Amino acid sequence: MPEHLPLAPAAPWVELVATTADWDAADPQLLRTMYAQLVWIRTFEQYVLDLAAAGLIHGPAHSSIGQEGGAVGSVLALTSADSVNGSHRGHHQFLAKALHHVAPAGLDPLTAPGDDVRDVLLKTLAEICGLDRGWTHGRGGSMHLQWKAAGAMGTNAIVGGGVPQAAGFAWSHRQDGTDAVSVTYFGDGAVNIGSTLETMNLAGAWALPVCFFIENNQYAVSTNVREATAEPRLSARGLGFNLASWKVDGMDPLAVHLAMTEAVEHMRSGKGPTVVEVDTYRFFHQNGGFAGSAFGYREKEEEKAWRARDPLTQVAEHLQRRGIMSAEATDEAVTRAKAVMEEVGSVVLEPLPGGKPGQRRIRPDEWPDPAWVDVGVRGDLSEFDDAPVVDPQGHAVAVQDTKFIDAVAGVMARRMETDEGVVVMGEDVHRLNGGTNGATRGLPDRFPGRILGTPISENAFAGLAGGIALDGRFTPVVEFMYADFMWVAADQLFNQIGKARHMYGGDGAVPLVLRSKVAMGTGYGSQHSMDPAGIFATAPGWRIVAPSTPYDYVGLMNAALRCQDPVVVLEHVDLYTSSGPGPVDDYDYCLPVGKAAVRREGADVTVISYLGMTPYVLEAVAEQDPENALDAEVIDLRWLDRASIDWETIEASITKTNQVLIAEQGAVGTSYGGWLADEIHRRFFDLLDAPVWRVTGAEASPSISKVLERAAIAQKDEVAAALAEIKGY
């Protein structure tokens, strides 16, 4: 018979229950503030539901009514220096943090709110209505509320999407030498999301001061938590990652406050991340003002039982029991709050002309200007005003023959030496003498604590880097071993990092560099070989850099690290072992954003290429039969995103040649040249003597077989064939 030895989790896991003695010992000012916050949030939420019922809220109105106790009890254990982010149901989380920021000494439920409190209510209401005076000028609406000055870093419409970013805020707090903590609020549905579990693991491994605050409101839309998991005590998730965990009644704000106080102390003392699970209940359906029972997935008896434990009622009863406030006073606080909300609402609402009594509309002058629709997708590049930008053509510094990979490691070393805010993270970057390709050679020893080897969790560490970028104190450089892995982290790259600046109003910088290699031609097969340029070009917010020489790599990486937008730097494995002109000793110059390089001048055809395909193009042009050669002008794009294409250089070339060939290695289905050709046709139709010619790979992803892989990608031979076809056209 085998022996069975019982195992116990290494981390503590407790359920905290507040007793009457705890309520009796609580500071009266704390309880008054707690009640004031609950009243303001509840009144605000009911006002929003009323507007939604009147058709004045465009989009969802995810009410937090019933769940306010968790947000209020937890936020009152924090300071303005602490960061929070939240879920799509995040009005209460945001308001609790914002109100605590403007009134850190506490609110009184019977004192008329000051201008700062009114401003919080007004700007939040305006944002939910989609109006210009909102926090992000109406772009974020109900689900994307952000006020960074208050430590409210943004609520999030993707379930679990904000969790990795909160780990990034925590990393920044610790790296900056503060004791501030980060709290990420999410629901029972997000507990089963991969990004949440990946981040719990990463935060535990790195001992980050981040609290995973689970609002277990029992239902993910209409699916009960017991249907979705075999362990409905969701704080148990923390034990698998050695995270200290608390379970508490979320309808009891004081119990939440006591548990959160313990969790915050745990994190501030350097003991690592925590989990706090609060059992709570949303009184209404997923969206809008109807009860869940109206849709048949909840029973009225269940709803009645939860409503009997309303956090507002509980706090009011304890205030009355202790003689801190009378029943009349607690009722008066609610009445006053409703009156103030009507006053606040009147700023953005007016009677509907010709409508029935009580009908209202949004004041027309409150809407954003439609012309502002694309402003802030990317920044204005003012960060380059004092940059050492050099001429885009030729070599502005002394050069020598340099291995490409040495330029990669050299410029990163220089930037880390001159900027303590640069931090590198990725799989194996801290070992193997510089990662899998040598890009960080020598850097872990020179810059301890700034070359971070990560778990194999692209979604988590990409999102963590996104949080670092949103925080703004550091510049993360993320290495993805292969470009294909971007799709593992697609939510963080495309829904989060790429959209963040625009979604949150257009003003907030997102300084992040993502390095990734294109490995077609190396025998690594379909899942390690793709060129992502064509897909990235369709995603808003990102800038795309594709260096083809060591000199270009240094200047373009310096530009990427200075840029206040997220930049993906594509690197081709064919280039790593190649040599070419690179700087002798100047690693500080920047190549200008949006300027291509003319690699060869010509008069017959404009060949546009980028990255590892550029050398193949130059070879094909040089090896033409002299008697039948086309005089090709070769343009190396360098910058590939829509905002950074060098249309001036392209137009000047087409004006001479009157025809264009776009050459790329990648698959035809995800072709970068597809959209570029379309845009060239639209812009320069009158200059063209023929449709744009294109060289691409096949439809299939590259295979392992050397023969099939070569058939799937484009190189010199395909360019040569295209030039011959153009010659005979």
Side-chain angles (χ1 to χ4, degrees):
M1 289 287 289
E3 186 177 1
H4 293 80
L5 303 176
L7 298 175
W13 182 31
V14 299
E15 181 170 5
L16 185 149
V17 178
T19 65
T20 301
D22 293 316
W23 280 97
D24 289 344
D27 185 336
Q29 180 57 42
L30 171 66
L31 298 184
R32 292 180 75 94
T33 295
M34 193 174 284
Y35 187 65
Q37 280 232 14
L38 291 167
V39 167
W40 283 116
I41 295 171
R42 174 68 60 85
T43 304
F44 180 93
E45 288 283 65
Q46 188 57 61
Y47 192 83
V48 167
L49 287 181
D50 292 343
L51 295 188
L56 295 173
I57 302 293
H58 182 64
H62 295 114
S63 166
S64 68
I65 291 177
Q67 296 186 203
E68 304 95 337
V72 171
S74 59
V75 163
L76 292 180
L78 305 176
T79 72
S80 292
D82 299 318
S83 301
V84 306
N85 71 354
S87 67
H88 62 283
R89 191 180 312 284
H91 302 167
H92 58 322
Q93 303 152 4
F94 177 83
L95 284 172
K97 192 67 165 71
L99 291 171
H100 192 39
H101 174 67
V102 300
L107 292 169
D108 190 274
L110 294 177
T111 300
D115 291 342
D116 47 5
V117 171
R118 288 175 178 265
D119 191 53
V120 166
L121 298 172
L122 175 57
K123 293 183 76 170
T124 308
L125 180 66
E127 185 61 42
I128 292 170
C129 290
L131 308 182
D132 187 59
R133 73 165 72 229
W135 297 105
T136 59
H137 305 283
R139 282 184 177 162
S142 171
M143 296 187 290
H144 308 108
L145 298 166
Q146 184 191 69
W147 187 21
K148 291 174 71 173
M153 305 300 287
T155 55
N156 203 293
I158 302 297
V159 174
V163 176
Q165 296 168 25
F169 308 149
W171 186 91
S172 295
H173 290 321
R174 189 181 66 184
Q175 187 74 2
D176 202 33
T178 78
D179 70 348
V181 304
S182 173
V183 182
T184 182
Y185 294 91
F186 55 92
D188 47 287
V191 166
N192 301 316
I193 292 285
S195 59
T196 300
L197 299 173
E198 286 184 23
T199 306
M200 284 183 173
N201 177 68
L202 181 55
W206 290 5
L208 298 177
V210 57
C211 175
F212 299 91
F213 194 97
I214 306 169
E215 291 183 312
N216 185 358
N217 69 15
Q218 318 304 311
Y219 291 90
V221 187
S222 63
T223 301
N224 187 273
V225 65
R226 288 169 177 79
E227 299 176 77
T229 178
E231 175 50 277
R233 298 173 301 173
L234 303 180
S235 46
R237 299 293 195 276
L239 306 185
F241 305 107
N242 199 20
L243 311 186
S245 302
W246 285 256
K247 181 177 175 59
V248 66
D249 179 5
M251 307 303 277
D252 183 336
L254 182 62
V256 175
H257 182 71
L258 295 172
M260 194 65 178
T261 299
E262 293 179 6
V264 168
E265 174 57 29
H266 178 98
M267 293 184 288
R268 293 204 202 283
S269 62
K271 296 178 181 177
T274 59
V275 174
V276 175
E277 176 196 5
V278 300
D279 285 320
T280 185
Y281 201 77
R282 52 176 165 83
F283 289 173
F284 295 101
H285 177 53
Q286 164 77 357
N287 175 29
F290 294 97
S293 56
F295 298 85
Y297 65 88
R298 299 199 306 207
E299 298 295 331
K300 291 183 178 180
E301 292 75 13
E302 175 187 297
E303 293 174 339
K304 182 179 179 181
W306 280 95
R307 280 182 174 271
R309 301 174 52 233
D310 189 328
L312 269 76
T313 303
Q314 291 196 60
V315 176
E317 289 175 348
H318 283 290
L319 285 168
Q320 295 162 22
R321 182 182 59 80
R322 288 188 55 187
I324 298 171
M325 292 180 70
S326 66
E328 292 76 17
T330 55
D331 290 343
E332 182 183 352
V334 175
T335 301
R336 289 188 178 189
K338 291 179 178 178
V340 170
M341 275 310 306
E342 288 295 335
E343 294 172 12
V344 169
S346 68
V347 176
V348 298
L349 300 171
E350 66 181 10
L352 179 67
K356 298 178 181 179
Q359 282 188 301
R360 294 176 290 181
R361 70 171 185 179
I362 303 291
R363 295 183 185 274
D365 59 354
E366 292 289 331
W367 295 107
D369 184 347
W372 197 63
V373 60
D374 285 334
V375 174
V377 171
R378 299 172 187 84
D380 61 6
L381 300 179
S382 58
E383 60 268 30
F384 287 89
D385 289 348
D386 60 350
V389 176
V390 299
D391 191 289
Q393 306 302 329
H395 301 131
V397 304
V399 296
Q400 62 185 3
D401 193 56
T402 304
K403 284 190 67 174
F404 194 97
I405 195 62
D406 290 342
V408 174
V411 69
M412 190 56 62
R414 177 60 176 162
R415 293 284 65 79
M416 295 191 76
E417 179 181 68
T418 59
D419 183 353
E420 293 183 354
V422 175
V423 57
V424 177
M425 66 185 69
E427 296 154 4
D428 296 303
V429 296
H430 60 320
R431 300 250 167 82
L432 303 177
N433 194 24
T436 55
N437 291 99
T440 53
R441 185 177 298 124
L443 301 186
D445 292 335
R446 290 184 61 189
F447 308 105
R450 293 170 58 197
I451 304 293
L452 308 176
T454 67
I456 301 176
S457 307
E458 283 85 3
N459 216 20
F461 69 78
L464 181 145
I468 293 173
L470 287 171
D471 174 90
R473 285 173 283 184
F474 300 92
T475 301
V477 179
V478 178
E479 178 181 311
F480 274 11
M481 200 176 291
Y482 293 94
D484 309 67
F485 300 171
M486 294 174 181
W487 272 252
V488 179
D491 173 48
Q492 293 303 319
L493 298 182
F494 302 124
N495 274 329
Q496 309 295 339
I497 296 167
K499 294 178 181 178
R501 178 191 279 271
H502 183 267
M503 183 172 70
Y504 288 127
D507 298 325
V510 190
L512 180 149
V513 172
L514 172 63
R515 294 181 48 244
S516 193
K517 66 188 179 190
V518 177
M520 58 184 66
T522 62
Y524 268 75
S526 296
Q527 296 176 331
H528 284 67
S529 303
M530 76 172 299
D531 175 356
I535 295 176
F536 258 93
T538 68
W542 283 91
R543 295 186 187 269
I544 312 169
V545 165
S548 63
T549 71
Y551 174 86
D552 276 15
Y553 189 94
V554 172
L556 293 173
M557 177 54 80
N558 281 332
L561 284 167
R562 179 176 286 264
C563 188
Q564 294 299 291
D565 297 321
V567 182
V568 57
V569 179
L570 301 179
E571 303 169 11
H572 201 295
V573 291
D574 282 354
L575 299 174
Y576 281 153
T577 56
S578 70
S579 295
V584 174
D585 53 15
D586 185 345
Y587 278 80
D588 294 324
Y589 62 92
C590 291
L591 284 168
V593 177
K595 290 297 180 182
V598 178
R599 301 296 184 195
R600 183 188 189 279
E601 294 188 357
D604 292 341
V605 61
T606 298
V607 185
I608 300 174
S609 192
Y610 63 91
L611 202 63
M613 191 61 166
T614 303
Y616 289 122
V617 168
L618 291 170
E619 288 179 31
V621 170
E623 294 176 8
Q624 293 179 96
D625 180 354
E627 295 183 2
N628 293 294
L630 282 171
D631 186 18
E633 181 148 298
V634 179
I635 296 176
D636 185 350
L637 285 175
R638 287 178 171 159
W639 295 87
L640 308 184
D641 56 278
R642 290 176 181 269
S644 307
I645 293 293
D646 188 351
W647 295 116
E648 182 180 0
T649 295
I650 292 173
E651 181 177 15
S653 182
I654 298 175
T655 301
K656 290 189 299 178
T657 66
N658 305 116
Q659 53 187 343
V660 175
L661 168 65
I662 300 174
E664 61 185 313
Q665 283 195 290
V668 65
T670 55
S671 166
Y672 175 80
W675 85 264
L676 183 61
D678 175 74
E679 191 66 23
I680 289 173
H681 282 130
R682 294 175 187 279
R683 287 174 180 257
F684 308 124
F685 182 80
D686 291 341
L687 297 177
L688 294 171
D689 290 341
V692 173
W693 302 81
R694 291 175 58 201
V695 169
T696 73
E699 180 180 0
S701 300
S703 302
I704 293 291
S705 165
K706 188 173 183 178
V707 172
L708 293 177
E709 179 184 49
R710 177 61 187 89
I713 64 179
Q715 292 183 344
K716 179 183 68 174
D717 292 347
E718 286 74 18
V719 176
L723 291 173
E725 185 177 1
I726 295 171
K727 179 67 176 178
Y729 179 71

